[in-house]
Amino acid sequence: MATPSSTPPAAPQGWDFNHCTATLADDPDGARDYAEDWRSHGGGLEAEQCAALAQMELGDVATAATTLDRLAHVPDWPDGPPPEGRRGSRQAVVETPASRLRRASVAEAAARAWQADDSPKQAFDSATYGLALAPDDPALKLVYARVAVELGQPQRAIDMLTPLPSAPGARDEALVARAGAWRKLGRIDQGMADINAALHDMPHNGAALLERGILYQRQGQMELARADWLDVVRQAPDSDEADLARQDLALLETDPEAP
């Protein structure tokens, strides 16, 4: 009679991070299940990262942020440290540039998760850590700047985003974020210059239109503010920007003359 084997099942072929994350937006439950199955077959850090990203999509942002922040501090991507009991089986970790960049991207995801959890201090810490790994990363600079504004430090945001990124998409996002920072400092004309430059490239961007409406309001141009906010609601009625625009429109109806 054959005895049951204690050998774990061999990992199926074809597991990979890109496949795991491909369905995050459309099927986060499926992505999480794939990640957990992959992890049980030795997927390691990449499987954990994918599972955390799926948790974020499913609304468990605090757990996702905690996991991603921990993973960003593991200095040996994608393999991770050796298992317990085998610590002497590998040479000391010598981190590669690719590993540092990968950890920086995980730190950026952690910062975004902390933002979604309304935890700006933790988001700022994650972004700061990521920038220590990849000082020129545009995505990390952007999330750092947005959180700095949220924490009441707009000058830090401006310093981080100046000079602007060279890539057009990153540049436009940075312009929108920097416009909000100028506004916080009361420098409305500089904010308007940035936001109009961004809208020149992306005239239907909800975040940019929302910000320009606020800038118009600060200038006392209430009808122009109203027009921008109505555009945001019309173009993407289910977006976060539309929700904020509705709030601004409601306040405008309550006190049409308030700057």
Side-chain angles (χ1 to χ4, degrees):
M1 178 176 176
T3 57
S5 172
S6 60
T7 303
Q13 297 298 312
W15 299 90
D16 71 83
F17 184 75
N18 289 336
H19 184 90
C20 188
T21 56
T23 60
L24 274 174
D26 297 329
D27 184 17
D29 284 300
R32 180 190 56 193
D33 292 344
Y34 179 101
E36 293 299 339
D37 197 13
W38 182 21
R39 187 178 177 186
S40 72
H41 287 88
L45 300 178
E46 290 189 317
E48 283 194 77
Q49 182 187 5
C50 185
L53 294 173
Q55 285 177 307
M56 189 174 172
E57 289 291 330
L58 291 165
D60 189 3
V61 290
T63 301
T66 301
T67 300
L68 290 165
D69 192 63
R70 172 178 58 80
L71 292 175
H73 285 76
V74 178
D76 192 16
W77 275 82
D79 299 322
E84 291 292 340
R86 294 176 54 198
R87 297 298 183 186
S89 63
R90 290 172 54 192
Q91 296 180 347
V93 172
V94 178
E95 189 168 32
T96 65
S99 172
R100 289 177 67 85
L101 289 175
R102 182 63 180 270
R103 290 205 292 135
S105 75
V106 178
E108 189 260 335
R112 288 188 288 105
W114 285 125
Q115 277 189 290
D117 189 50
D118 294 324
S119 302
K121 178 60 171 63
Q122 290 91 329
F124 190 79
D125 290 344
S126 290
T128 301
Y129 180 74
L131 285 165
L133 298 169
D136 297 321
D137 186 274
L140 276 164
K141 286 186 172 185
L142 184 63
V143 71
Y144 176 100
R146 286 172 172 164
V147 177
V149 171
E150 193 174 350
L151 290 171
Q153 302 176 45
Q155 188 59 56
R156 281 194 174 190
I158 291 165
D159 293 343
M160 180 57 66
L161 296 176
T162 307
L164 293 163
S166 57
R171 174 182 176 275
D172 290 333
E173 286 195 82
L175 282 166
V176 176
R178 197 171 69 174
W182 288 126
R183 171 171 55 82
K184 291 289 187 180
L185 289 174
R187 296 161 73 170
I188 304 304
D189 289 345
Q190 284 170 284
M192 190 64 80
D194 273 358
I195 210 66
N196 283 330
L199 283 164
H200 179 270
D201 294 334
M202 45 181 196
H204 304 297
N205 181 272
L209 287 168
L210 179 69
E211 180 60 44
R212 190 173 68 175
I214 299 170
L215 290 165
Y216 276 140
Q217 182 191 37
R218 295 296 175 86
Q219 290 179 331
Q221 301 188 67
M222 302 308 180
E223 288 308 310
L224 290 174
R226 187 196 310 275
D228 274 348
W229 294 334
L230 287 172
D231 271 353
V232 175
V233 174
R234 277 194 293 265
Q235 290 177 25
D238 297 326
S239 66
D240 292 340
E241 289 82 7
D243 289 341
L244 293 170
R246 290 188 188 96
Q247 294 175 30
D248 289 332
L249 286 164
L251 289 172
L252 197 59
E253 293 302 319
T254 303
D255 189 358
E257 301 303 321

